[in-house]
Amino acid sequence: MRCTTLFDHLKNTSVAQWRAALTWMNAAASAAAQSVQDAASQASLSGQRADAAAASASAAANTLAAAQAALGAVKWVPGAYASGACAWSPINGQLYRTRAAIANSTVDPINDPTNWFSLGLMSLPIQQVTNTGGSFYGAANGGLNTINEITLAGACAKYLPQNPANGDVCVVVVANGRADNSLLVNPNNPIPLQVGTVMVTDFLVLGIPPGAVTFKFFSSSNVWRYM
């Protein structure tokens, strides 16, 4: 009885109805397949983004070591150095190259510009600033000889490093698109910021500079000077 009823139903179904049903089933099957493919693609993309983020963090962490290794740099110690030899200063961790052969180097490169070229920003590690208030990374000397990238969504205000040595630098990159980030002079250890002939003794608004802002410490006048 059931078979007869089914047969009668199928027999009375028009060709157009069959075609419409088949078209609907094909569309449904295609949509389901596409959903599976999209889900797989999203999972793959998420994995790729996670891998890329991990790789980026690893690369940033290894910037200084990679630069030192590529240049064959060693820790500076008193002694003889060939022309063009590279060494890193144990005082500030930055890279230097000899201008000419030195028979007996007795002064750390940071204090011997006559015999050593500074290799500048290429030797500095990169760190992201994700909070506001106090010192960079919660340390009195935080941000010293570092490229400090401000990524905090809100306005960021930080002290420059509090115990710098002559020639130390602090580099700040505004990456949050804000015009109200600022560098503060710590009232408990006031090291002024000098911009041209202007001496800043309270705070300096960074705005949105087009590139990295570099301050260098001059111990002779006890100032962070904008370079």
Side-chain angles (χ1 to χ4, degrees):
M1 193 65 182
R2 289 179 180 173
C3 291
T4 302
T5 302
L6 177 61
F7 175 78
D8 289 341
H9 173 73
L10 294 177
K11 179 177 65 175
N12 293 325
T13 300
S14 68
V15 173
Q17 289 174 317
W18 272 107
R19 287 177 176 171
L22 288 173
T23 299
W24 179 86
M25 286 188 290
N26 287 335
S30 296
Q34 186 63 48
S35 296
V36 172
Q37 183 177 354
D38 289 346
S41 297
Q42 288 297 323
S44 176
L45 181 59
S46 297
Q48 290 170 2
R49 286 173 176 167
D51 290 345
S56 177
S58 176
N62 291 326
T63 296
L64 179 57
Q68 292 173 348
L71 294 170
V74 296
K75 178 181 177 180
W76 178 86
V77 294
Y81 289 86
S83 177
C86 290
W88 58 271
S89 166
I91 295 178
N92 66 0
Q94 293 188 47
L95 289 171
Y96 296 84
R97 185 190 296 274
T98 57
R99 297 175 182 270
I102 306 174
N104 185 23
S105 176
T106 58
V107 179
D108 187 289
I110 189 176
N111 295 316
D112 189 11
T114 300
N115 291 308
W116 296 86
F117 287 112
S118 170
L119 297 184
L121 299 183
M122 70 174 292
S123 68
L124 300 183
I126 301 171
Q127 286 190 289
Q128 279 71 46
V129 183
T130 59
N131 61 11
T132 187
S135 300
F136 286 108
Y137 319 112
N141 248 11
L144 191 68
N145 299 315
T146 300
I147 298 175
N148 304 282
E149 182 185 18
I150 298 176
T151 57
L152 176 69
C156 180
K158 288 289 183 182
Y159 296 134
L160 283 177
Q162 297 300 292
N163 301 301
N166 186 52
D168 280 343
V169 298
C170 180
V171 182
V172 180
V173 175
V174 174
N176 62 357
R178 300 183 66 99
D180 54 359
N181 300 292
S182 57
L183 296 175
L184 311 176
V185 175
N186 189 338
N188 297 319
N189 183 26
I191 303 176
L193 311 178
Q194 184 173 349
V195 181
T197 59
V198 177
M199 197 70 71
V200 179
T201 58
D202 46 9
F203 64 92
L204 176 69
V205 177
L206 293 178
I208 307 177
V213 177
T214 302
F215 290 87
K216 188 169 186 176
F217 181 70
F218 288 75
S219 59
S220 58
S221 49
N222 192 43
V223 297
W224 280 106
R225 192 169 292 168
Y226 172 71
M227 305 302 293

